[in-house]
Amino acid sequence: QVQLVESGGGSVQAGGSLKLSCAATGYRDVCMAWFRQAPGKEREGVASIDGDGVTTRYAESVKGRFTISKDNAKNIVYLQMNSLKPEDTAMYFCARDPTARWCADNFAPSDFHNWGQGTQVTVSS
């Protein structure tokens, strides 16, 4: 059964750090990504990582602060979030495209077929 389970969310003060994890079952070595959605806003891409775990892409708003990585042996994708800002507050979702090893440069929610349930990140000022 295809399943993505996120963990690691929580509440932190601005400037703090959190590390999200996404444990996946099923497909390996395929494109995976993190998205986020704040209340009243559209879901937006945060970071993606190719199936080989090498090539990564980031939204401009998180470049230099967030790092996506992958443990292929364990089939877990991580999102290390540093220097968090109040505007990073959102529900964060893990997503997977089981049809592609390589992520699209402009990864969008419509590219992904599998989704986790989300984990809440709240950053206070």
Side-chain angles (χ1 to χ4, degrees), residues 104-121:
D105 285 340
N106 296 319
F107 56 102
S110 58
D111 295 336
F112 295 83
H113 303 268
N114 306 142
W115 292 86
Q117 82 288 349
T119 185
Q120 178 68 37
V121 172

Side-chain angles (χ1 to χ4, degrees), residues 22 77 99 117 119 122:
C22 172
V77 176
T99 68
Q117 82 288 349
T119 185
T122 302

Side-chain angles (χ1 to χ4, degrees), residues 21 55 122:
S21 299
T55 302
T122 302

